Amino acid sequence: MNRIDSNKYLDILDKIENCLDWYFDNDMPNTRYKLFLSNNDKLEIDFGERALSHLLGVNINYLRSTGHYIGGSSSILDDILKNPKLLLSRIKDGYIKEEQVFSKHIDKKLANFKNICILNVFNIEFIVKYESEKSYITGEEKLEGDYYIVTKDKLNKDKISIIGLKLNKNGLYQPMTNMQFEEYSDEYRKFFNQVLKGQTITIAQTLIKNVIDDYGNLSQNKYFYDTSQKIGKIKNIKRYAEEYKAIINVSEDCIFYIDKVQNLYDEKNKTIEIIKEITDKISSNCVIDAVKLDSKYGDIPNYLLNLIGSHNDSLSKKDSDKNNNESYTELITSLKTAKADIEKKDILIKKLDDNNKELIDRNQILEEENNVLKDKVEKIRAII
């Protein structure tokens, strides 16, 4: 008779039951995501019941192979939860092997279950388009997924989650793995070497969540990044690509857009940093070294040079009230000019962001029209 920790076993089943209750209460069997990627790929992701065993870390295929359980994933899970002692006795008697039933990472999988199911575009760090044949070139162990979505929850910044997707015969992508790592742990580095080395990575562009209720009504929500979020994602994949020798693939218009906006952000942030230093010197009645600032930040706008000159002049003319008043006026004018310059950059950034959103919407409309035309052509071909 095999020894088994009954309390731990029952605790696992209790967590599985909680996950399943949440899964059905939140209409996950009727939920589909459309994920549009910056490399022009489109993934339609189905979180139907077939994906449950992979997401929960329970080997349904093994249980079915023992002959003690029959039916689909939800049916077998329901049988186990209704009669947990029966499975426990079969494990103790050696008919079923405990290590074959539950994943060795089941605690992490169950803790991460809800985060994985609620696909959040804002938490997606990047997506890997995995081509297994490249593993022969890189020498890394072959994986089974077609795509891997890497997410990072804002509430758990030290943890990285991975959803592996596999294309099924219906043309839908189904989750086939649910993993979570401590960032920069040995496990994390090993897996990232395996999944990223020599592979293509991209970012999400738009996520559409479709839910059909019991009455056949469709509810749809669309999510996409704003400018600062998109820039952050591009910076992230550049870092991952450099560290793990991956290949970045994002659309050309996205690269152009990012570069243009990045330059504006950099210029704006540089101006803010210069103004901070100037303000500190003015508050302390210290001379401002324009040459030193120029060597640190590069070209300094003329209105800031005028500001520096006015301040330095005011320090050397403290005995003259008139001169001091004139310098003070110049200081205020220069500060207003700096503020107006930053506001102009913000307006331009917002305009570029709005243009990008409009471009995304147009692309999606064109794609939908194209699909309709394809269907019509196929019907005509079938008649001919």
Side-chain angles (χ1 to χ4, degrees):
M1 181 176 286
N2 296 324
R3 298 188 65 180
I4 183 172
D5 186 339
S6 300
N7 290 330
K8 182 180 179 181
Y9 162 81
L10 293 173
D11 182 57
I12 288 172
L13 292 186
D14 186 52
K15 289 177 181 177
I16 289 173
E17 186 171 17
N18 289 335
C19 287
L20 288 174
D21 287 343
W22 177 90
Y23 175 85
F24 288 107
D25 288 345
N26 286 273
D27 284 327
M28 290 311 301
N30 302 318
T31 298
R32 272 190 196 168
Y33 295 98
K34 283 186 179 179
L35 184 60
F36 296 84
L37 309 184
S38 187
N39 66 347
N40 294 323
D41 286 356
K42 182 181 78 173
L43 312 181
E44 192 163 357
I45 305 168
D46 179 24
F47 275 79
E49 294 180 36
R50 289 184 180 181
L52 275 175
S53 60
H54 298 294
L55 295 175
L56 293 168
V58 181
N59 193 338
I60 296 296
N61 287 335
Y62 168 72
L63 288 171
R64 200 182 285 119
S65 72
T66 64
H68 294 288
Y69 293 93
I70 58 172
S73 295
S74 58
S75 174
I76 291 176
L77 287 168
D78 190 50
D79 288 344
I80 291 171
L81 294 173
K82 283 181 177 176
N83 197 348
K85 291 182 180 178
L86 180 59
L87 176 60
L88 184 61
S89 67
R90 285 170 175 168
I91 291 173
K92 286 181 177 179
D93 293 339
Y95 295 114
I96 291 176
K97 296 178 180 178
E98 181 190 10
E99 65 274 14
Q100 293 287 338
V101 177
F102 302 122
S103 163
K104 62 180 180 180
H105 302 296
I106 192 164
D107 290 330
K108 288 183 179 180
K109 287 178 181 287
L110 294 175
N112 201 38
F113 180 79
K114 294 177 186 177
N115 290 333
I116 289 292
C117 290
I118 304 175
L119 199 54
N120 183 337
V121 73
F122 305 109
N123 290 346
I124 296 175
E125 291 283 277
F126 59 88
I127 301 97
V128 184
K129 184 175 183 177
Y130 185 80
E131 298 173 84
S132 58
E133 59 269 20
K134 290 182 178 179
S135 63
Y136 297 110
I137 301 170
T138 62
E140 296 296 326
E141 183 183 345
K142 182 180 173 181
L143 298 171
E144 297 300 322
D146 296 315
Y147 286 87
Y148 287 88
I149 301 175
V150 178
T151 69
K152 191 173 185 179
D153 188 353
K154 290 180 180 179
L155 299 177
N156 297 302
K157 292 183 179 180
D158 59 335
K159 289 182 170 55
I160 293 285
S161 298
I162 291 98
I163 316 167
L165 301 176
K166 189 79 175 172
L167 186 66
N168 67 18
K169 61 183 179 181
N170 298 319
L172 301 174
Y173 286 92
Q174 286 189 316
M176 43 73 68
T177 190
N178 159 22
M179 292 177 281
Q180 188 181 76
F181 302 114
E182 295 286 335
E183 194 169 16
Y184 304 119
S185 65
D186 290 340
E187 270 187 319
Y188 162 93
R189 293 186 186 281
K190 181 181 177 182
F191 179 78
F192 270 47
N193 263 319
Q194 194 176 359
V195 78
L196 285 177
K197 193 174 179 181
Q199 301 290 341
T200 301
I201 60 174
T202 189
I203 63 169
Q205 190 153 293
T206 308
L207 178 71
I208 299 175
K209 181 181 180 181
N210 294 318
V211 180
I212 300 174
D213 65 21
D214 295 336
Y215 302 100
N217 299 314
L218 172 68
S219 66
Q220 186 177 88
N221 292 292
K222 185 188 293 186
Y223 310 92
F224 44 82
Y225 303 131
D226 63 22
T227 302
S228 59
Q229 290 165 336
K230 187 176 287 188
I231 289 173
K233 300 301 180 183
I234 287 288
K235 285 181 177 179
N236 281 344
I237 65 168
K238 284 181 179 178
R239 176 170 60 84
Y240 283 110
E242 288 170 4
E243 187 171 354
Y244 294 97
K245 299 177 182 176
I247 302 159
I248 295 174
N249 185 359
V250 292
S251 58
E252 289 184 12
D253 60 320
C254 180
I255 292 172
F256 172 79
Y257 169 73
I258 292 298
D259 287 344
K260 191 168 183 178
V261 176
Q262 182 64 53
N263 289 336
L264 284 169
Y265 266 94
D266 290 344
E267 192 64 33
K268 172 188 168 183
N269 291 333
K270 183 184 86 170
T271 303
I272 290 171
E273 289 302 314
I274 295 172
I275 290 173
K276 281 181 182 177
E277 286 207 33
I278 291 173
T279 305
D280 289 342
K281 294 290 185 182
I282 292 172
S283 301
S284 306
N285 283 323
C286 296
V287 173
I288 301 170
D289 188 340
V291 176
K292 192 173 180 181
L293 284 176
D294 187 78
S295 64
K296 182 176 179 180
Y297 294 104
D299 292 337
I300 298 175
N302 285 332
Y303 61 82
L304 290 180
L305 289 174
N306 293 335
L307 173 63
I308 292 168
S310 298
H311 169 69
N312 289 343
D313 286 346
S314 71
L315 292 179
S316 62
K317 298 175 182 177
K318 280 188 177 178
D319 353 55
S320 170
D321 290 337
K322 181 181 177 183
N323 285 337
N324 278 331
N325 288 334
E326 286 176 354
S327 297
Y328 178 76
T329 302
E330 290 170 358
L331 289 173
I332 295 300
T333 302
S334 296
L335 283 170
K336 286 181 178 178
T337 304
K339 183 181 178 184
D341 184 66
I342 290 171
E343 288 173 350
K344 283 179 183 177
K345 287 184 173 66
D346 282 337
I347 291 168
L348 186 52
I349 288 167
K350 185 179 183 304
K351 187 176 180 181
L352 286 167
D353 188 31
D354 291 340
N355 289 341
N356 185 58
K357 290 175 182 176
E358 185 180 347
L359 181 62
I360 290 170
D361 288 337
R362 284 179 183 173
N363 285 340
Q364 286 174 2
I365 291 169
L366 286 172
E367 184 174 354
E368 288 169 5
E369 289 175 350
N370 189 39
N371 288 335
V372 171
L373 286 172
K374 282 181 181 178
D375 290 340
K376 287 181 180 178
V377 169
E378 291 301 323
K379 287 177 182 177
I380 292 169
R381 283 179 180 170
I383 294 169
I384 294 171

